Amino acid sequence: MDSTLTETPVLARPAGPSRRLNRRWWWVAGSLVAAALLVQTPMWINDMRLSALVERVRAYPLPPGTQPNVVAQGKVGLQIGNSNHCDYLVRLSLVTTLPEAAVVKYYESTTIRGVQGGTLPGEVYFAGGKGPRPVIVEFLEMHDAGLDLRCR
């Protein structure tokens, strides 16, 4: 008996439409991922800048006789006006026993560093009444829209 191995023919994969379809699918999927990253990356960058700004506002000491009412909130996008600029808005809700003039003076002279590095003054809004009353302090900074679609 002969102990030689018999070779079985290997069937070659056809280079037909299924292989082209597979390549086309990868190209389409890759293009969609690249487009999603192109759109999302500017938003992620602006969100990181906003988070850092919110943390700087939270870390800034409150004036005496003032307590936080709600945790500082931030928003990035088109806040004021029509289009083609990106607004970073941080809102701080407080309760104070200080007179209006003292709170306004305190937040107009803040040294909170904005997104681009300059100092941001706070815009103060009071509710009426005597004694401890609610105060809203807003820090707003506007920049070029860049590629963030929320700023268009």
Side-chain angles (χ1 to χ4, degrees):
M1 179 144 208
D2 190 3
S3 64
T4 60
L5 295 174
T6 59
E7 291 186 27
T8 56
V10 177
L11 298 175
R13 190 171 178 186
S18 64
R19 186 164 237 175
R20 276 181 285 180
L21 182 62
N22 194 18
R23 285 185 190 149
R24 191 173 302 145
W25 183 88
W26 280 107
W27 185 87
V28 168
S31 298
L32 289 174
V33 168
L37 286 175
L38 184 67
V39 170
Q40 285 296 115
T41 301
M43 292 181 188
W44 292 333
I45 291 170
N46 283 339
D47 287 343
M48 287 188 308
R49 290 176 179 163
L50 177 67
S51 293
L53 180 59
V54 168
E55 287 306 314
R56 288 191 295 273
V57 169
R58 282 184 188 159
Y60 197 78
L62 297 175
T66 304
Q67 297 177 354
N69 192 16
V70 179
V71 177
Q73 302 168 334
K75 190 172 184 182
V76 65
L78 191 59
Q79 308 296 320
I80 295 175
N82 43 11
S83 65
N84 207 24
H85 57 89
C86 211
D87 304 332
Y88 297 86
L89 176 66
V90 178
R91 182 172 289 143
L92 192 59
S93 178
L94 307 170
V95 176
T96 188
T97 57
L98 293 175
E100 289 183 19
V103 177
V104 169
K105 182 178 178 183
Y106 183 83
Y107 281 107
E108 281 181 346
S109 62
T110 62
T111 57
I112 295 174
R113 187 174 44 87
V115 175
Q116 295 288 329
T119 58
L120 287 180
E123 187 74 30
V124 181
Y125 303 96
F126 284 92
K130 294 186 178 184
R133 62 183 182 271
V135 177
I136 300 292
V137 183
E138 290 184 344
F139 298 90
L140 177 67
E141 190 171 6
M142 291 187 262
H143 296 285
D144 185 41
L147 297 176
D148 191 334
L149 296 178
R150 298 174 292 183
C151 304
R152 302 264 171 196

